Amino acid sequence: MDWRLPGGVTRMILVRHGRPSEEMKGRCYGRLDVSLAPEGHVQAQRAASLLSQVELHGLYSSPRLRALDTAKRVAEGRGVGLQVEEAFREIDFGLFEGLTYEEAERRFPSLYAEWMAHPEQVRFPEGETFSEMRERVRAGGRALRARHPGQCFALVSHGGVNRTLLAEALGMADRHLFRLDQVHAAVNVIDFYGDEPVVKAMNLEP
């Protein structure tokens, strides 16, 4: 990846958090504040190393601990402050939060079946719909781009947030969102020529 920024281009770098703590494996977690697993800290450091030569004019993070812990690694040794942005939190699973997928299926069989068939259309009880998350994430992305015209900035958040912003750049329908893989600590790059996005890199594994 050539990290030199062409003149007049606004570059958005999207980083997914590292692997979360092991007790969350196989569970729904969006709103839950989950820390990184030991492997997640290693992944975060690798992502930071990958971006070590990139000049950042802004560094932002979701408020969730797993994203903040990852972003702090990226921030180390840089002259740019880390700012928390509520818009980029992961989707709120409501009453699904903390449940295993098997528990969610037993407690909410009809809704679970709908979620598996049409994940972009479900409203989680006492939580969010994907369209609600999509609108806050896209609005947040526009705000950051307006804050950094002609500059490079990074956002550390979640798989769902990254997919939402990448899908917007690619003009993908919501139902195709999960065609975009996002490994833990993945790095993605979108360049904006005015309002026209060009995806330069996606799902880079540090």
Side-chain angles (χ1 to χ4, degrees):
M1 175 72 192
D2 184 354
W3 293 108
R4 290 174 294 182
L5 184 65
V9 171
T10 300
R11 175 167 290 169
M12 173 189 285
I13 298 176
L14 305 173
V15 184
R16 188 186 181 193
H17 61 77
R19 183 178 298 280
S21 54
E22 192 64 25
E23 66 264 24
M24 286 296 107
K25 188 174 182 180
R27 294 183 180 274
C28 302
Y29 60 96
R31 183 183 67 232
L32 290 180
D33 225 2
V34 181
S35 60
L36 293 179
E39 180 187 356
H41 285 286
V42 173
Q43 292 169 329
Q45 186 57 57
R46 288 175 180 164
S49 297
L50 180 63
L51 298 174
S52 61
Q53 301 305 310
V54 180
E55 182 181 3
L56 294 177
H57 292 90
L59 177 59
Y60 302 91
S61 175
S62 155
R64 301 296 177 245
L65 186 59
R66 56 195 182 273
L68 276 169
D69 283 349
T70 303
K72 287 174 183 176
R73 293 298 182 98
V74 177
E76 287 174 358
R78 294 183 177 273
V80 61
L82 173 60
Q83 299 182 57
V84 174
E85 293 284 343
E86 284 285 337
F88 302 110
R89 63 191 185 277
E90 185 58 287
I91 194 168
D92 186 341
F93 287 105
L95 296 181
F96 280 35
E97 290 281 347
L99 300 181
T100 66
Y101 290 94
E102 293 78 11
E103 288 169 341
E105 184 176 19
R106 284 198 304 271
R107 294 189 193 184
F108 306 95
S110 297
L111 186 60
Y112 184 87
E114 184 183 353
W115 182 31
M116 292 297 103
H118 304 287
E120 79 284 2
Q121 297 178 14
V122 167
R123 172 177 292 283
F124 295 99
E126 299 184 19
E128 284 185 295
T129 63
F130 170 72
S131 61
E132 288 170 339
M133 187 198 79
R134 179 192 63 211
E135 293 313 307
R136 66 170 163 79
V137 167
R138 287 184 176 182
R142 290 192 296 270
L144 291 189
R145 290 182 354 239
R147 201 178 300 174
H148 294 283
Q151 297 179 336
C152 176
F153 64 92
L155 167 64
V156 183
S157 60
H158 308 274
V161 172
N162 288 359
R163 289 185 181 98
T164 298
L165 292 169
L166 287 164
E168 180 186 26
L170 293 167
M172 291 177 61
D174 291 347
R175 66 182 183 276
H176 297 152
L177 197 74
F178 290 97
R179 294 181 180 181
L180 300 173
D181 192 20
Q182 285 293 284
V183 299
H184 289 113
V187 174
N188 311 269
V189 181
I190 308 174
D191 283 355
F192 290 86
Y193 294 78
D195 290 327
E196 189 67 24
V198 175
V199 177
K200 299 286 288 185
M202 189 162 51
N203 201 39
L204 294 177
E205 297 189 48

